[in-house]
Amino acid sequence: MEETREINALLHLIDDPDNEVFDTVSNRIVSYGRPIIPNLEQLWENTPDEMVQEKIELLIHRLHFHELQADISGYAKATHHDLLEGALLVAKYQYPHLADTPVLQEIEKIKRNIWLELNSYLTALEQVNIINRIFFSYYKFKGVEVSYQHPEEFLINKVLETKRGNSIMNGIIYQLLCGLLDIPVKAINIPRQYLLAYFDTSYDYFNPKKENNNNIHFYVDPMNGHVYTHKDVENYFKKIGVPITTSYFKPMDHRLILQFLLEELAKCFDTGDNLYKQTELLALADVMGMIIS
């Protein structure tokens, strides 16, 4: 952005020790939006004072956050909700300069390797066995227990890079691949688990004719590709003492998946220095969630 007289004056006031002055200045700077970021980055490079650098970093973060908040609101209000697009938006909280193309290319590469092994004569279980072989054995994706000490395991770009993800992110990538291959595997809202289900291809997601889990052939654990039967899931419900209801066996809205992802990612930032990130991520989750009917 061209440095006007006002912008120049604002940038010179960033180091003012008066908190009220800084709050006023920072709010005005943020009002300029993303185009002012290069000016702030240049100022950071030419500022030897670490405390002033921290103030500049906070301003840049606020600018990225405001933009992301607007993007997530637009995504949530849209008529179509692409799961990959949403997962990229979540990753951009930590990596605001993340380029979409490398992620899209990696997903496409994995999809193509699975597609080469598929044919129209395979059963549902045979299709999933092929996906599992490519995903877990060939590409060596590893499922790890959810750990709030490792925020990278909630981010699609990092999981594709390290091949190490928790059940939520592994499940999102697994579902993405199935969607690209027209295989009806969707996340369902099982309590205390992130589980995928292979649906009957005649299932109408908007007007289901059957009740409970009768539309589902079987279940897939995104941690390792293990297949569970209806009996396995019924036993799980008995174990945790939760009554089975129809709502647990419907495909999750992509926005609900992303809201859950944001809420879980927020739990990674529960210490003093990072507590503001938890607040921001929960605010983004609320933006996603308030649109869902």
Side-chain angles (χ1 to χ4, degrees):
M1 175 178 281
E2 183 181 348
E3 197 158 303
T4 64
R5 185 175 298 177
E6 182 187 14
I7 290 173
N8 186 53
L10 289 168
L11 296 177
H12 278 88
L13 286 169
I14 287 176
D15 61 355
D16 195 298
D18 189 316
N19 287 335
E20 287 188 14
V21 172
F22 177 69
D23 288 344
T24 302
V25 168
S26 61
N27 288 336
R28 181 61 183 148
I29 288 173
V30 169
S31 72
Y32 276 94
R34 188 183 180 90
I36 203 173
I37 290 178
N39 304 69
L40 291 167
E41 290 174 336
Q42 184 178 13
L43 179 63
W44 186 93
E45 291 171 0
N46 295 306
T47 301
D49 190 317
E50 290 186 5
M51 289 186 66
V52 177
Q53 285 184 331
E54 288 179 7
K55 287 183 175 182
I56 296 169
E57 289 167 6
L58 182 60
L59 282 169
I60 292 173
H61 175 79
R62 279 185 64 189
L63 284 158
H64 284 306
F65 175 71
H66 280 233
E67 183 179 46
L68 181 59
Q69 200 170 31
D71 288 343
I72 285 181
S73 178
Y75 174 93
K77 292 175 183 175
T79 55
H80 175 69
H81 308 101
D82 182 83
L83 187 57
L84 177 53
E85 179 188 350
L88 283 165
L89 285 174
V90 174
K92 285 175 182 176
Y93 178 79
Q94 283 288 84
Y95 296 92
H97 299 295
L98 176 65
D100 294 354
T101 301
V103 173
L104 299 174
Q105 288 175 338
E106 185 65 17
I107 291 286
E108 178 62 28
K109 184 170 69 175
I110 301 169
K111 184 212 83 170
R112 180 167 177 78
N113 274 286
I114 298 171
W115 177 78
L116 289 170
E117 300 286 331
L118 296 174
N119 64 65
S120 56
Y121 300 104
L122 296 173
T123 64
L125 186 57
E126 287 170 337
Q127 289 177 336
V128 165
N129 285 338
I130 287 173
I131 296 169
N132 288 343
R133 179 160 52 81
I134 301 296
F135 192 73
F136 293 106
S137 299
Y138 182 76
Y139 280 100
K140 301 191 184 304
F141 276 86
K142 181 181 180 181
V144 294
E145 294 297 327
V146 171
S147 170
Y148 301 118
Q149 283 70 52
H150 300 286
E152 67 277 5
E153 291 168 3
F154 294 88
L155 307 174
I156 189 168
N157 58 315
K158 297 305 293 181
V159 172
L160 286 170
E161 177 187 319
T162 63
K163 305 296 186 287
R164 178 185 173 91
N166 53 43
S167 59
I168 306 165
M169 186 46 65
N170 269 13
I172 287 172
I173 295 172
Y174 198 107
Q175 180 173 339
L176 279 171
L177 293 166
C178 289
L180 291 169
L181 293 160
D182 294 323
I183 295 173
V185 170
K186 310 278 184 181
I188 53 175
N189 198 20
I190 295 289
R192 306 174 208 170
Q193 294 286 334
Y194 195 89
L195 197 63
L196 304 173
Y198 191 112
F199 282 84
D200 184 333
T201 52
S202 64
Y203 180 78
D204 184 338
Y205 299 116
F206 300 101
N207 298 295
K209 298 174 183 176
K210 303 176 186 178
E211 295 183 355
N212 288 346
N213 57 4
N214 293 326
N215 296 299
I216 296 171
H217 287 308
F218 52 80
Y219 307 86
V220 182
D221 187 342
M223 289 280 281
N224 49 28
H226 188 85
V227 171
Y228 296 112
T229 65
H230 292 301
K231 189 66 177 176
D232 292 328
V233 172
E234 287 167 10
N235 288 338
Y236 169 74
F237 273 94
K238 289 178 183 176
K239 181 179 178 181
I240 64 174
V242 175
I244 295 178
T245 64
T246 304
S247 62
Y248 293 137
F249 299 96
K250 292 181 180 178
M252 287 177 71
D253 186 293
H254 289 174
R255 293 168 296 178
L256 188 60
I257 293 172
L258 297 167
Q259 181 187 18
F260 179 58
L261 178 63
L262 285 162
E263 290 169 348
E264 290 294 291
L265 178 59
K267 294 176 184 177
C268 298
F269 305 103
D270 60 354
T271 58
D273 290 344
N274 286 319
L275 205 55
Y276 74 96
K277 289 190 174 185
Q278 184 174 91
T279 301
E280 289 178 344
L281 285 161
L282 290 175
L284 293 176
D286 286 344
V287 170
M288 190 71 76
M290 71 176 60
I291 311 297
I292 304 171
S293 58

Short mmCIF file of all heavy atoms in Angstrom, two decimals, residues 1 3 6-16 22 25-26 29 35-60 63:
data_model
loop_
_atom_site.label_atom_id
_atom_site.label_comp_id
_atom_site.label_asym_id
_atom_site.label_seq_id
_atom_site.Cartn_x
_atom_site.Cartn_y
_atom_site.Cartn_z
N MET A 1 0.85 -1.19 0.00
CA MET A 1 0.00 0.00 0.00
C MET A 1 0.89 1.24 0.00
O MET A 1 1.89 1.31 0.71
CB MET A 1 -0.92 0.01 1.23
CG MET A 1 -1.75 1.27 1.38
SD MET A 1 -2.89 1.23 2.80
CE MET A 1 -4.20 0.21 2.13
N GLU A 3 2.35 4.65 0.97
CA GLU A 3 2.44 5.23 2.30
C GLU A 3 1.97 6.69 2.28
O GLU A 3 2.72 7.60 1.94
CB GLU A 3 3.87 5.13 2.84
CG GLU A 3 3.93 5.33 4.34
CD GLU A 3 5.18 4.73 4.94
OE1 GLU A 3 5.42 3.52 4.76
OE2 GLU A 3 5.92 5.47 5.60
N GLU A 6 -1.19 9.91 6.44
CA GLU A 6 -1.84 9.34 7.62
C GLU A 6 -1.19 8.01 8.01
O GLU A 6 -0.92 7.76 9.18
CB GLU A 6 -3.33 9.13 7.38
CG GLU A 6 -4.02 8.57 8.63
CD GLU A 6 -5.48 8.18 8.40
OE1 GLU A 6 -5.89 8.08 7.24
OE2 GLU A 6 -6.18 7.98 9.40
N ILE A 7 -0.94 7.16 7.02
CA ILE A 7 -0.32 5.86 7.31
C ILE A 7 1.05 6.06 7.93
O ILE A 7 1.41 5.39 8.91
CB ILE A 7 -0.23 5.01 6.03
CG1 ILE A 7 -1.63 4.57 5.59
CG2 ILE A 7 0.66 3.78 6.25
CD1 ILE A 7 -1.67 3.86 4.27
N ASN A 8 1.81 6.99 7.38
CA ASN A 8 3.14 7.27 7.91
C ASN A 8 3.05 7.72 9.37
O ASN A 8 3.83 7.28 10.23
CB ASN A 8 3.81 8.35 7.07
CG ASN A 8 5.25 8.59 7.48
OD1 ASN A 8 6.05 7.65 7.55
ND2 ASN A 8 5.60 9.83 7.78
N ALA A 9 2.07 8.56 9.68
CA ALA A 9 1.90 9.04 11.05
C ALA A 9 1.49 7.90 11.98
O ALA A 9 1.99 7.79 13.12
CB ALA A 9 0.85 10.15 11.07
N LEU A 10 0.60 7.04 11.51
CA LEU A 10 0.16 5.91 12.33
C LEU A 10 1.31 4.96 12.63
O LEU A 10 1.46 4.50 13.77
CB LEU A 10 -0.96 5.16 11.60
CG LEU A 10 -2.31 5.87 11.51
CD1 LEU A 10 -3.22 5.15 10.52
CD2 LEU A 10 -2.99 5.96 12.87
N LEU A 11 2.12 4.68 11.63
CA LEU A 11 3.24 3.77 11.82
C LEU A 11 4.24 4.32 12.83
O LEU A 11 4.84 3.56 13.60
CB LEU A 11 3.93 3.48 10.48
CG LEU A 11 3.08 2.75 9.43
CD1 LEU A 11 3.84 2.59 8.13
CD2 LEU A 11 2.63 1.38 9.93
N HIS A 12 4.42 5.63 12.84
CA HIS A 12 5.35 6.25 13.78
C HIS A 12 4.81 6.25 15.22
O HIS A 12 5.58 6.40 16.17
CB HIS A 12 5.68 7.69 13.35
CG HIS A 12 6.74 7.76 12.29
ND1 HIS A 12 6.47 7.69 10.94
CD2 HIS A 12 8.09 7.87 12.41
CE1 HIS A 12 7.60 7.77 10.27
NE2 HIS A 12 8.60 7.87 11.12
N LEU A 13 3.49 6.07 15.35
CA LEU A 13 2.89 6.08 16.68
C LEU A 13 2.79 4.69 17.31
O LEU A 13 2.36 4.55 18.45
CB LEU A 13 1.49 6.71 16.61
CG LEU A 13 1.44 8.23 16.44
CD1 LEU A 13 0.03 8.68 16.11
CD2 LEU A 13 1.96 8.92 17.71
N ILE A 14 3.18 3.66 16.56
CA ILE A 14 3.09 2.29 17.09
C ILE A 14 3.92 2.13 18.36
O ILE A 14 3.55 1.38 19.27
CB ILE A 14 3.51 1.26 16.01
CG1 ILE A 14 2.42 1.16 14.94
CG2 ILE A 14 3.76 -0.12 16.63
CD1 ILE A 14 2.76 0.24 13.79
N ASP A 15 5.05 2.85 18.43
CA ASP A 15 5.92 2.68 19.59
C ASP A 15 5.54 3.57 20.76
O ASP A 15 6.25 3.63 21.77
CB ASP A 15 7.38 2.92 19.21
CG ASP A 15 7.63 4.34 18.69
OD1 ASP A 15 6.64 5.09 18.56
OD2 ASP A 15 8.80 4.68 18.42
N ASP A 16 4.38 4.25 20.67
CA ASP A 16 3.95 5.10 21.77
C ASP A 16 3.68 4.25 23.01
O ASP A 16 2.93 3.27 22.95
CB ASP A 16 2.69 5.87 21.38
CG ASP A 16 2.39 7.03 22.32
OD1 ASP A 16 2.16 6.76 23.52
OD2 ASP A 16 2.40 8.18 21.87
N PHE A 22 -1.93 3.55 21.64
CA PHE A 22 -1.67 2.37 20.80
C PHE A 22 -2.98 1.71 20.37
O PHE A 22 -3.11 1.28 19.21
CB PHE A 22 -0.80 1.36 21.54
CG PHE A 22 -0.56 0.09 20.74
CD1 PHE A 22 0.22 0.10 19.60
CD2 PHE A 22 -1.18 -1.10 21.12
CE1 PHE A 22 0.41 -1.05 18.85
CE2 PHE A 22 -0.99 -2.26 20.39
CZ PHE A 22 -0.19 -2.23 19.25
N VAL A 25 -4.47 3.81 17.61
CA VAL A 25 -3.64 3.68 16.40
C VAL A 25 -3.84 2.31 15.76
O VAL A 25 -4.01 2.19 14.54
CB VAL A 25 -2.15 3.91 16.74
CG1 VAL A 25 -1.25 3.49 15.57
CG2 VAL A 25 -1.92 5.37 17.08
N SER A 26 -3.82 1.26 16.58
CA SER A 26 -3.93 -0.09 16.04
C SER A 26 -5.29 -0.32 15.40
O SER A 26 -5.39 -0.96 14.34
CB SER A 26 -3.68 -1.14 17.13
OG SER A 26 -4.64 -1.03 18.17
N ILE A 29 -5.18 1.31 12.05
CA ILE A 29 -4.35 0.54 11.12
C ILE A 29 -5.11 -0.69 10.61
O ILE A 29 -5.12 -0.99 9.42
CB ILE A 29 -3.02 0.12 11.79
CG1 ILE A 29 -2.11 1.35 11.94
CG2 ILE A 29 -2.31 -0.96 10.98
CD1 ILE A 29 -0.85 1.10 12.74
N PRO A 35 -4.12 -4.81 2.74
CA PRO A 35 -3.13 -4.08 1.93
C PRO A 35 -2.06 -3.35 2.74
O PRO A 35 -1.00 -3.03 2.20
CB PRO A 35 -3.99 -3.08 1.15
CG PRO A 35 -5.32 -3.74 1.03
CD PRO A 35 -5.50 -4.47 2.33
N ILE A 36 -2.31 -3.09 4.02
CA ILE A 36 -1.31 -2.37 4.82
C ILE A 36 -0.25 -3.30 5.41
O ILE A 36 0.75 -2.83 5.96
CB ILE A 36 -1.99 -1.56 5.95
CG1 ILE A 36 -1.09 -0.39 6.39
CG2 ILE A 36 -2.36 -2.44 7.13
CD1 ILE A 36 -1.75 0.56 7.37
N ILE A 37 -0.42 -4.61 5.27
CA ILE A 37 0.53 -5.57 5.85
C ILE A 37 1.96 -5.36 5.36
O ILE A 37 2.91 -5.37 6.15
CB ILE A 37 0.05 -7.02 5.63
CG1 ILE A 37 -1.18 -7.29 6.50
CG2 ILE A 37 1.16 -8.03 5.96
CD1 ILE A 37 -1.78 -8.68 6.33
N PRO A 38 2.20 -5.16 4.03
CA PRO A 38 3.59 -4.92 3.58
C PRO A 38 4.25 -3.72 4.27
O PRO A 38 5.45 -3.76 4.57
CB PRO A 38 3.44 -4.69 2.07
CG PRO A 38 2.20 -5.42 1.70
CD PRO A 38 1.29 -5.26 2.89
N ASN A 39 3.46 -2.68 4.54
CA ASN A 39 4.01 -1.53 5.25
C ASN A 39 4.47 -1.92 6.65
O ASN A 39 5.52 -1.49 7.13
CB ASN A 39 2.97 -0.41 5.36
CG ASN A 39 2.42 0.02 4.01
OD1 ASN A 39 1.71 -0.74 3.37
ND2 ASN A 39 2.74 1.23 3.58
N LEU A 40 3.64 -2.74 7.32
CA LEU A 40 3.98 -3.19 8.67
C LEU A 40 5.20 -4.11 8.65
O LEU A 40 6.06 -4.04 9.54
CB LEU A 40 2.78 -3.90 9.30
CG LEU A 40 1.59 -3.01 9.64
CD1 LEU A 40 0.36 -3.86 9.94
CD2 LEU A 40 1.91 -2.12 10.84
N GLU A 41 5.27 -4.97 7.65
CA GLU A 41 6.42 -5.89 7.55
C GLU A 41 7.71 -5.12 7.32
O GLU A 41 8.76 -5.45 7.88
CB GLU A 41 6.17 -6.89 6.43
CG GLU A 41 5.07 -7.90 6.76
CD GLU A 41 4.70 -8.81 5.61
OE1 GLU A 41 4.93 -8.41 4.44
OE2 GLU A 41 4.18 -9.90 5.86
N GLN A 42 7.64 -4.09 6.49
CA GLN A 42 8.82 -3.26 6.25
C GLN A 42 9.24 -2.53 7.52
O GLN A 42 10.43 -2.44 7.84
CB GLN A 42 8.53 -2.25 5.13
CG GLN A 42 9.75 -1.41 4.74
CD GLN A 42 9.45 -0.47 3.60
OE1 GLN A 42 8.30 -0.24 3.25
NE2 GLN A 42 10.50 0.11 3.02
N LEU A 43 8.26 -2.04 8.27
CA LEU A 43 8.56 -1.36 9.53
C LEU A 43 9.20 -2.33 10.52
O LEU A 43 10.16 -1.98 11.21
CB LEU A 43 7.27 -0.77 10.12
CG LEU A 43 7.41 -0.04 11.46
CD1 LEU A 43 8.31 1.18 11.31
CD2 LEU A 43 6.03 0.37 11.99
N TRP A 44 8.69 -3.55 10.57
CA TRP A 44 9.25 -4.58 11.46
C TRP A 44 10.73 -4.82 11.14
O TRP A 44 11.56 -4.92 12.05
CB TRP A 44 8.45 -5.87 11.32
CG TRP A 44 8.84 -6.95 12.30
CD1 TRP A 44 8.29 -7.20 13.51
CD2 TRP A 44 9.89 -7.92 12.13
NE1 TRP A 44 8.91 -8.26 14.11
CE2 TRP A 44 9.90 -8.73 13.29
CE3 TRP A 44 10.81 -8.18 11.12
CZ2 TRP A 44 10.80 -9.77 13.47
CZ3 TRP A 44 11.72 -9.23 11.29
CH2 TRP A 44 11.70 -10.01 12.46
N GLU A 45 11.03 -4.92 9.85
CA GLU A 45 12.42 -5.18 9.43
C GLU A 45 13.36 -4.05 9.83
O GLU A 45 14.57 -4.27 10.03
CB GLU A 45 12.48 -5.39 7.92
CG GLU A 45 11.81 -6.68 7.47
CD GLU A 45 11.67 -6.78 5.96
OE1 GLU A 45 12.11 -5.81 5.28
OE2 GLU A 45 11.14 -7.79 5.47
N ASN A 46 12.85 -2.84 9.93
CA ASN A 46 13.69 -1.68 10.22
C ASN A 46 13.57 -1.21 11.68
O ASN A 46 13.98 -0.10 12.02
CB ASN A 46 13.33 -0.52 9.29
CG ASN A 46 13.63 -0.84 7.84
OD1 ASN A 46 14.75 -1.22 7.51
ND2 ASN A 46 12.63 -0.74 6.98
N THR A 47 12.98 -2.06 12.52
CA THR A 47 12.78 -1.70 13.92
C THR A 47 13.64 -2.60 14.81
O THR A 47 13.41 -3.81 14.88
CB THR A 47 11.30 -1.85 14.33
OG1 THR A 47 10.51 -1.00 13.50
CG2 THR A 47 11.09 -1.47 15.78
N PRO A 48 14.63 -2.05 15.51
CA PRO A 48 15.48 -2.87 16.37
C PRO A 48 14.84 -3.21 17.72
O PRO A 48 15.23 -4.18 18.36
CB PRO A 48 16.72 -1.98 16.59
CG PRO A 48 16.20 -0.57 16.42
CD PRO A 48 15.08 -0.65 15.42
N ASP A 49 13.83 -2.43 18.13
CA ASP A 49 13.20 -2.62 19.44
C ASP A 49 12.28 -3.85 19.40
O ASP A 49 11.28 -3.88 18.67
CB ASP A 49 12.38 -1.37 19.79
CG ASP A 49 11.88 -1.38 21.23
OD1 ASP A 49 11.41 -2.45 21.68
OD2 ASP A 49 11.94 -0.33 21.89
N GLU A 50 12.57 -4.86 20.23
CA GLU A 50 11.80 -6.11 20.23
C GLU A 50 10.36 -5.90 20.68
O GLU A 50 9.43 -6.56 20.17
CB GLU A 50 12.47 -7.16 21.12
CG GLU A 50 13.77 -7.69 20.54
CD GLU A 50 14.34 -8.83 21.36
OE1 GLU A 50 13.67 -9.27 22.33
OE2 GLU A 50 15.45 -9.29 21.05
N MET A 51 10.15 -4.99 21.62
CA MET A 51 8.79 -4.74 22.10
C MET A 51 7.93 -4.13 20.99
O MET A 51 6.76 -4.48 20.83
CB MET A 51 8.81 -3.82 23.32
CG MET A 51 9.35 -4.48 24.57
SD MET A 51 9.19 -3.42 26.03
CE MET A 51 7.41 -3.32 26.19
N VAL A 52 8.52 -3.24 20.21
CA VAL A 52 7.80 -2.65 19.08
C VAL A 52 7.55 -3.71 18.02
O VAL A 52 6.47 -3.76 17.41
CB VAL A 52 8.57 -1.45 18.49
CG1 VAL A 52 7.85 -0.89 17.27
CG2 VAL A 52 8.73 -0.36 19.54
N GLN A 53 8.52 -4.59 17.80
CA GLN A 53 8.33 -5.68 16.83
C GLN A 53 7.16 -6.57 17.24
O GLN A 53 6.37 -7.00 16.39
CB GLN A 53 9.61 -6.52 16.73
CG GLN A 53 10.71 -5.85 15.93
CD GLN A 53 11.93 -6.76 15.77
OE1 GLN A 53 12.21 -7.61 16.62
NE2 GLN A 53 12.64 -6.60 14.67
N GLU A 54 7.04 -6.82 18.54
CA GLU A 54 5.92 -7.63 19.03
C GLU A 54 4.58 -6.95 18.76
O GLU A 54 3.60 -7.60 18.40
CB GLU A 54 6.08 -7.92 20.52
CG GLU A 54 7.19 -8.91 20.84
CD GLU A 54 7.34 -9.14 22.33
OE1 GLU A 54 6.50 -8.63 23.11
OE2 GLU A 54 8.30 -9.84 22.72
N LYS A 55 4.54 -5.63 18.93
CA LYS A 55 3.32 -4.89 18.64
C LYS A 55 2.97 -4.98 17.15
O LYS A 55 1.80 -5.15 16.79
CB LYS A 55 3.49 -3.41 19.03
CG LYS A 55 3.49 -3.14 20.52
CD LYS A 55 3.59 -1.64 20.79
CE LYS A 55 3.47 -1.32 22.26
NZ LYS A 55 3.52 0.15 22.52
N ILE A 56 3.99 -4.89 16.30
CA ILE A 56 3.76 -4.99 14.86
C ILE A 56 3.26 -6.38 14.49
O ILE A 56 2.32 -6.55 13.70
CB ILE A 56 5.05 -4.66 14.08
CG1 ILE A 56 5.46 -3.20 14.33
CG2 ILE A 56 4.86 -4.89 12.57
CD1 ILE A 56 6.85 -2.86 13.83
N GLU A 57 3.86 -7.40 15.09
CA GLU A 57 3.44 -8.79 14.84
C GLU A 57 1.98 -8.98 15.24
O GLU A 57 1.22 -9.67 14.55
CB GLU A 57 4.34 -9.76 15.61
CG GLU A 57 5.75 -9.85 15.04
CD GLU A 57 6.71 -10.56 15.99
OE1 GLU A 57 6.25 -11.07 17.04
OE2 GLU A 57 7.91 -10.59 15.69
N LEU A 58 1.60 -8.40 16.38
CA LEU A 58 0.21 -8.51 16.84
C LEU A 58 -0.74 -7.84 15.85
O LEU A 58 -1.82 -8.37 15.56
CB LEU A 58 0.08 -7.87 18.22
CG LEU A 58 -1.31 -7.94 18.87
CD1 LEU A 58 -1.74 -9.39 19.05
CD2 LEU A 58 -1.32 -7.21 20.21
N LEU A 59 -0.34 -6.69 15.32
CA LEU A 59 -1.17 -5.99 14.34
C LEU A 59 -1.34 -6.82 13.07
O LEU A 59 -2.44 -6.92 12.52
CB LEU A 59 -0.55 -4.63 14.00
CG LEU A 59 -0.77 -3.52 15.03
CD1 LEU A 59 0.11 -2.32 14.71
CD2 LEU A 59 -2.24 -3.11 15.06
N ILE A 60 -0.24 -7.41 12.61
CA ILE A 60 -0.31 -8.25 11.40
C ILE A 60 -1.22 -9.44 11.65
O ILE A 60 -2.05 -9.80 10.80
CB ILE A 60 1.11 -8.70 10.99
CG1 ILE A 60 1.93 -7.50 10.50
CG2 ILE A 60 1.03 -9.76 9.88
CD1 ILE A 60 3.39 -7.80 10.23
N LEU A 63 -4.84 -8.36 11.51
CA LEU A 63 -5.28 -8.14 10.13
C LEU A 63 -5.61 -9.47 9.45
O LEU A 63 -6.63 -9.61 8.78
CB LEU A 63 -4.20 -7.39 9.35
CG LEU A 63 -4.11 -5.89 9.66
CD1 LEU A 63 -2.74 -5.34 9.31
CD2 LEU A 63 -5.20 -5.14 8.92
#
